[in-house]
């Protein structure tokens, strides 16, 4: 399923039975798009031939571009739920097992990434590692890590990305809302597709995830791709958000450590330079108990 402005939704259907797809809470496969009815269509995947049936949806269902009420379901086809495209594929056991292994590998790699993010890396190396891992999860060649400063946003670390590149509108939206943004096909959003930065960079897909600690947004991780047809799955976004949460927490700890160290370094010098207050010393001597000899 390819909802606009959202990650791709993948369902791996294993058991032969009837599956209902729609926007409601009780369906088997949920699509959160206002064009999709609460119970939009049903896939009958029991005995052959399989069938697809529209369940009286408001905006209709299409099979390979043709409207339908009920029809045989091919092993490979495109469906449209009120305008939201979906691809149906019948997978053999080998390919289904390969997809499961790929998802498991991604999750294991994500765990290793989380484990290495530590304040012990130091601020600069932490920024490098966070961006490197984010680009790996996004499977994008370029991106940036942006931190919020008192004057706005400042790119503090980038790979093949400078201030003139990337989608500034997506970054600004994420920093303002504190919510992730995924655009799998910028051509579907006319206002975005016509922006100079999108055209100049030949950008096809964008993902941006906030760096948040509690209710505070520290910055954002951004990546884009020039690859036609590039998509981000719901699993991809989940792993990227988890990385961003861990990175934000560790960055906040590293920042606190830096501030404490700076205070510690300045403390002895300030004490040495300060003149002794005789009255304060007298009061302290009165308040402290005499040492036993």
């Amino acid at each position: 399923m390819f909802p606009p402005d959202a990650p791709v939704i993948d369902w791996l259907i294993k058991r032969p039975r009837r599956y209902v797809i729609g926007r409601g809470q009780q369906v088997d496969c949920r699509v959160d798009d206002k064009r999709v009815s609460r119970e939009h269509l049903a896939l009958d995947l029991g005995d052959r031939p399989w069938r697809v049936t529209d369940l009286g949806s408001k905006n209709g269902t299409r099979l390979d571009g043709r409207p339908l009420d009920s029809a045989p379901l091919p092993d490979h086809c495109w469906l449209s739920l009120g305008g939201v495209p979906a691809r149906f594929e019948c997978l053999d056991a080998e390919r289904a097992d390969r997809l499961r292994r790929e998802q498991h590998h991604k999750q294991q790699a994500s765990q290793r990434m989380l484990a290495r993010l530590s304040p012990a890396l130091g601020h600069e190396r932490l920024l490098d590692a966070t961006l490197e891992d984010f680009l790996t999860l996004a499977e994008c060649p370029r991106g940036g890590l942006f931190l919020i400063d008192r004057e706005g946003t400042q790119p503090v670390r980038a790979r093949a990305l400078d201030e003139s590149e990337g989608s500034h509108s997506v970054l600004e939206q994420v920093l303002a809302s504190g919510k992730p943004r995924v655009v799998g096909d910028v051509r579907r959003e006319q206002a975005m597709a016509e922006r100079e930065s999108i055209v100049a960079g030949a950008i096809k897909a964008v993902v941006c995830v906030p760096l948040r600690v509690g209710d505070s947004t520290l910055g954002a991780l951004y990546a884009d791709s020039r690859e036609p047809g590039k998509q981000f799955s719901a699993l991809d976004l989940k792993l990227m958000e988890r990385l961003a949460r861990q990175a934000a927490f560790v960055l906040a700890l590293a920042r606190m450590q830096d501030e404490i160290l700076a205070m510690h370094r300045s403390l002895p010098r300030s004490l040495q330079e300060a003149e002794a207050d005789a009255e304060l010393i007298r009061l302290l001597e009165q308040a402290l108990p005499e040492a036993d000899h």
Side-chain angles (χ1 to χ4, degrees):
M1 184 72 64
F2 300 88
D5 200 15
V8 174
I9 304 172
D10 291 318
W11 295 297
L12 191 57
I13 297 173
K14 302 176 183 179
R15 292 177 296 174
R17 65 176 179 85
R18 182 180 175 90
Y19 290 87
V20 175
I21 301 176
R23 186 165 46 87
Q25 297 291 337
Q26 306 302 320
V27 297
D28 299 296
C29 305
R30 187 169 184 269
V31 184
D32 189 13
D33 190 290
K34 61 183 180 181
R35 293 172 294 177
V36 178
S37 298
R38 296 183 184 279
E39 292 188 356
H40 197 103
L41 64 79
L43 302 178
D44 291 295
L45 305 180
D47 296 333
R48 294 277 193 161
W50 295 337
R51 296 195 70 82
V52 54
T53 303
D54 184 89
L55 299 178
S57 66
K58 179 180 178 181
N59 294 317
T61 301
R62 289 177 175 268
L63 171 64
D64 289 333
R66 299 184 299 273
L68 66 83
D69 292 321
S70 181
L73 180 66
D75 288 355
H76 305 277
C77 65
W78 279 93
L79 295 166
S80 172
L81 286 72
V84 179
R87 184 173 66 234
F88 177 82
E89 293 185 72
C90 181
L91 306 180
D92 57 30
E94 181 180 353
R95 187 175 176 192
D97 185 58
R98 184 169 68 250
L99 287 175
R100 283 191 289 266
R101 289 198 306 268
E102 288 174 356
Q103 291 182 345
H104 182 64
H105 174 74
K106 280 186 176 182
Q107 292 174 329
Q108 286 186 318
S110 172
Q111 290 293 344
R112 291 192 294 270
M113 293 173 184
L114 295 178
R116 77 166 178 158
L117 293 184
S118 164
L121 288 174
H123 187 71
E124 291 300 312
R125 180 60 189 133
L126 181 58
L127 296 176
D128 284 333
T130 299
L131 178 57
E132 179 183 346
D133 290 345
F134 183 74
L135 294 179
T136 299
L137 291 175
E139 297 181 343
C140 288
R142 66 176 194 170
L145 189 158
F146 297 82
L147 295 180
I148 295 177
D149 60 17
R150 294 180 181 179
E151 299 177 356
T153 63
Q154 176 183 354
V156 296
R157 182 64 60 200
R159 175 182 300 173
L161 184 71
D162 59 35
E163 295 183 37
S164 65
E165 295 180 307
S167 174
H168 295 275
S169 62
V170 168
L171 177 62
E172 291 168 359
Q173 289 169 15
V174 170
L175 291 175
S177 68
K179 298 179 180 179
R181 181 86 194 277
V182 175
V183 183
D185 188 349
V186 299
R187 294 173 301 177
R188 297 181 186 175
E189 298 196 18
Q190 184 176 358
M192 184 176 178
E194 294 175 352
R195 287 184 176 269
E196 183 177 349
S197 59
I198 297 293
V199 176
I203 297 172
K204 301 296 189 297
V206 174
V207 60
C208 190
V209 177
L211 293 162
R212 288 180 61 82
V213 175
D215 295 329
S216 300
T217 300
L218 306 182
L221 286 159
Y222 170 94
D224 63 37
S225 176
R226 301 176 181 181
E227 177 188 346
K230 169 66 180 175
Q231 297 288 343
F232 304 102
S233 71
L235 176 62
D236 293 335
L237 182 59
K238 178 181 178 181
L239 297 179
M240 286 186 278
E241 287 185 291
R242 188 163 63 178
L243 175 74
R245 286 194 297 270
Q246 174 76 358
F249 179 73
V250 176
L251 282 168
L253 285 179
R255 182 180 295 177
M256 291 175 61
Q257 287 183 350
D258 290 344
E259 292 174 353
I260 292 172
L261 287 173
M263 292 173 61
H264 179 72
R265 285 191 295 266
S266 65
L267 184 59
R269 182 170 61 254
S270 65
L271 289 177
Q272 291 171 5
E273 294 173 353
E275 295 183 2
D277 188 324
E279 179 63 17
L280 178 60
I281 293 174
R282 185 183 65 79
L283 293 172
L284 286 171
E285 288 176 343
Q286 292 178 353
L288 295 173
E290 293 184 5
D292 294 330
H293 297 286

